[in-house]
Amino acid sequence: MKYSIIDFEREFPDDDVCLDYIFNVRYRDYVCPLCAKKTFYRVKGRKSYACSCGHQVNPLSKTIFKNSTTSLRLWFFAMYLFSQSRHGVPAAELQRQLGVTYKTAWRIGHKIRDLMKQNMEKSEGVFELDETYVGGKQRRYISRNKKNPKKKIPVFGILKREGDVFAVVVPNTQRYTLGAYIWKIIARGSEVCTDEAGVYNNLDQRYVHHTVNHSNREYVRGSVTTNRLEGFWSFLKNAIRSTHRVVSKKYLQAYVDERVFFYNARNSDVPIFHLILQRLTR
Ligand SMILES: [Zn+2]
């Protein structure tokens, strides 16, 4: 759903409105622990709210804004920029748009990505499973080797049909590594579609297991396909390529989380900006 800069400026004109918003979403059903009243008032000159009995609440505690000297409205604007971007927002772009130092912009970017962390619960259904490799940081001694110009980092994905995608950076693609995620996310008895890689050949113990033979160009056999997940891999790789060029292994999961968040939100009726704001309550 569309949410324009005009909408943003109307909804969040200044720091006070942003603070009220955070207080309202985090303390919606809050009851004063001292006197059981539900009405709180903004404390003048402070970023806190108080009950008439004197009990105070700081709505920024345990949030990404804690201890930040950057204005709340700039933080909100940064989240707005994330919500509008097709491929993510590099720190240099945030620096330019917010008028802050590169270091601050970099920190804000990663704090916002923290909000987008994945949390896929176990469920039953039809799933696609696949791994891919994302270009790691270019290293000079490897770049001389034409066969393997970049160190590739494995990423494992699980996509639920008519549902969400989950993706995780893994140290390797061995059976026990991938299995830990598979058992955690896919309920016993579900249908799973994979390619013919040996790592998946024990899945029929718990699931109805279908395989596609990629080497025979047999990408689609009825509903046995991993095409949707392949689509997500393209989406992920395009974004990383066009925004960050190179991503080190240390930060790759944060970028993967960000893309998963956007992919899973693609058909939402709620503007992505508001979906990001909703994560502030966690
Ligand atoms: Zn009270």
Side-chain angles (χ1 to χ4, degrees):
M1 192 185 156
K2 284 239 173 197
Y3 185 89
S4 71
I5 185 75
I6 307 289
D7 297 323
F8 173 76
E9 297 198 325
R10 197 176 292 140
E11 190 175 8
F12 297 106
D14 56 44
D15 281 355
D16 284 338
V17 174
C18 297
L19 190 70
D20 279 345
Y21 179 90
I22 296 168
F23 178 76
N24 287 329
V25 293
R26 295 191 73 206
Y27 292 89
R28 193 179 291 130
D29 304 313
Y30 188 70
V31 175
C32 178
L34 302 182
C35 70
K37 280 187 199 140
K38 287 179 179 174
T39 317
F40 282 74
Y41 306 92
R42 177 77 193 273
V43 180
K44 260 204 170 138
R46 299 194 60 180
K47 290 177 182 169
S48 59
Y49 295 74
C51 174
S52 58
C53 77
H55 174 69
Q56 287 200 14
V57 166
N58 173 3
L60 303 187
S61 69
K62 295 178 187 161
T63 67
I64 60 171
F65 317 111
K66 192 184 159 217
N67 299 333
S68 172
T69 53
T70 305
S71 88
L72 266 184
R73 188 156 187 279
L74 270 193
W75 273 101
F76 273 55
F77 184 53
M79 289 186 278
Y80 173 76
L81 292 175
F82 267 84
S83 73
Q84 296 296 303
S85 70
R86 285 185 56 197
H87 295 300
V89 189
E93 169 80 4
L94 269 188
Q95 176 189 17
R96 195 172 63 78
Q97 297 260 16
L98 304 183
V100 296
T101 63
Y102 184 83
K103 199 178 150 192
T104 299
W106 192 91
R107 183 173 166 272
I108 288 175
H110 275 288
K111 288 282 178 190
I112 293 173
R113 286 185 196 97
D114 276 351
L115 295 175
M116 302 182 190
K117 280 198 172 123
Q118 298 173 64
N119 180 25
M120 195 163 179
E121 283 173 8
K122 192 175 214 162
S123 66
E124 204 175 317
V126 182
F127 294 84
E128 297 180 12
L129 279 58
D130 193 21
E131 1 47 270
T132 194
Y133 290 83
V134 178
K137 198 170 188 158
Q138 189 133 6
R139 296 210 178 107
R140 200 180 286 170
Y141 68 92
I142 296 176
S143 69
R144 291 205 191 96
N145 177 349
K146 282 182 184 149
K147 261 183 149 176
N148 183 13
K150 286 178 183 174
K151 197 176 187 310
K152 297 284 189 181
I153 304 164
V155 179
F156 175 57
I158 297 176
L159 180 145
K160 184 177 185 185
R161 297 261 179 90
E162 320 297 331
D164 286 348
V165 69
F166 166 87
V168 61
V169 176
V170 284
N172 56 60
T173 55
Q174 288 166 17
R175 188 174 295 170
Y176 67 89
T177 307
L178 306 191
Y181 296 104
I182 298 171
W183 313 144
K184 202 176 150 207
I185 288 173
I186 307 178
R188 190 182 276 269
S190 292
E191 285 183 57
V192 294
C193 304
T194 71
D195 60 23
E196 291 188 320
V199 62
Y200 299 121
N201 64 14
N202 66 333
L203 289 180
D204 49 7
Q205 290 169 11
R206 298 195 199 198
Y207 307 116
V208 180
H209 183 199
H210 310 287
T211 56
V212 233
N213 184 348
H214 282 180
S215 55
N216 281 356
R217 301 188 174 202
E218 184 202 21
Y219 285 93
V220 185
R221 197 179 62 217
S223 66
V224 181
T225 156
T226 54
N227 282 356
R228 292 171 185 80
L229 190 46
E230 312 264 345
F232 173 72
W233 293 145
S234 319
F235 173 70
L236 171 71
K237 289 175 183 181
N238 282 337
I240 288 176
R241 229 188 335 261
S242 54
T243 311
H244 306 288
R245 294 215 327 273
V246 285
V247 171
S248 68
K249 192 167 184 175
K250 187 176 174 191
Y251 298 110
L252 181 58
Q253 185 64 55
Y255 297 114
V256 170
D257 288 344
E258 182 187 344
R259 284 305 102 198
V260 165
F261 180 84
F262 275 78
Y263 187 87
N264 291 343
R266 71 196 182 287
N267 297 324
S268 172
D269 294 333
V270 179
I272 289 183
F273 176 59
H274 278 216
L275 291 178
I276 298 173
L277 288 178
Q278 284 170 11
R279 294 288 183 104
L280 292 170
T281 58
R282 298 208 306 187

